[in-house]
Amino acid sequence: MRQALAEAESAADAGEVPIGAVVMHMVTEPQVIGTGFNRREQLQDPTAHAEILALRSASKHLGRWRLQDCLLVVTLEPCPMCAGALWASRIGGVVQGASNDEAGALGTFYNLGQDPRLNHEFPVQRDILEQECSHLLRSFFEQRRNRT
């Protein structure tokens, strides 16, 4: 989660909403194989969320789209788009920091990771370094409000 927080700080430094994600390959020694932070403004791409970019990076690294032996670590609970991408990638599991009270799709509003109607389910570990993840987001938006 510390590396995901570092990615989130990179997002904040770039003027992006501070959300960061890393994908870890869990076969032998856990190894980071993909990273990402929000880049929607920079890329002018509505899909450029931290999770999507980290999944793309990990898939490129492994040369495959199935990530069943990987774990995504993300600072904020994924939205429905990102939770759908996690499902589509067959991710092995997710570790998340803060809950997403606006659009959380891994337990807050929806639970796409553990919906038996879908053909892939994955475990979700919640609230890891939650205070640090939440603080980074709150600080970012407070600074934005104070600039206007």
Side-chain angles (χ1 to χ4, degrees):
M1 185 60 76
R2 295 269 179 226
Q3 189 164 351
L5 277 164
E7 291 290 321
E9 289 169 2
S10 294
D13 292 344
E16 299 276 357
V17 175
I19 300 170
V22 298
V23 176
M24 299 179 66
H25 195 219
M26 304 300 287
V27 173
T28 53
E29 281 289 311
Q31 175 187 6
V32 173
I33 59 167
T35 63
F37 60 83
N38 273 8
R39 296 178 64 194
R40 290 190 306 175
E41 298 298 331
Q42 180 185 11
L43 299 176
Q44 291 299 296
D45 178 353
T47 69
H49 288 203
E51 301 94 325
I52 301 292
L53 298 174
L55 289 172
R56 287 178 184 160
S57 177
S59 290
K60 184 175 182 178
H61 177 88
L62 292 175
R64 57 183 162 92
W65 64 268
R66 286 183 180 91
L67 302 177
Q68 71 279 359
D69 51 359
C70 296
L71 179 74
L72 178 95
V73 181
V74 63
T75 58
L76 181 69
E77 178 183 3
C79 70
M81 175 185 69
C82 293
L86 291 163
W87 164 79
S89 75
R90 308 302 190 259
I91 197 75
V94 173
V95 173
Q96 70 185 41
S99 293
N100 184 343
D101 296 333
E102 294 180 3
L106 292 184
T108 300
F109 287 111
Y110 308 101
N111 199 346
L112 294 180
Q114 297 175 339
D115 188 332
R117 297 171 295 178
L118 299 173
N119 66 347
H120 175 69
E121 295 179 65
F122 52 88
V124 177
Q125 189 173 359
R126 301 172 60 92
D127 302 327
I128 305 304
L129 297 181
E130 186 273 335
Q131 289 184 346
E132 291 178 51
C133 295
S134 294
H135 176 74
L136 186 58
L137 285 160
R138 275 193 311 274
S139 297
F140 176 81
F141 287 113
E142 284 172 9
Q143 288 174 354
R144 272 201 150 163
R145 281 191 296 274
N146 290 336
R147 276 191 249 154
T148 57

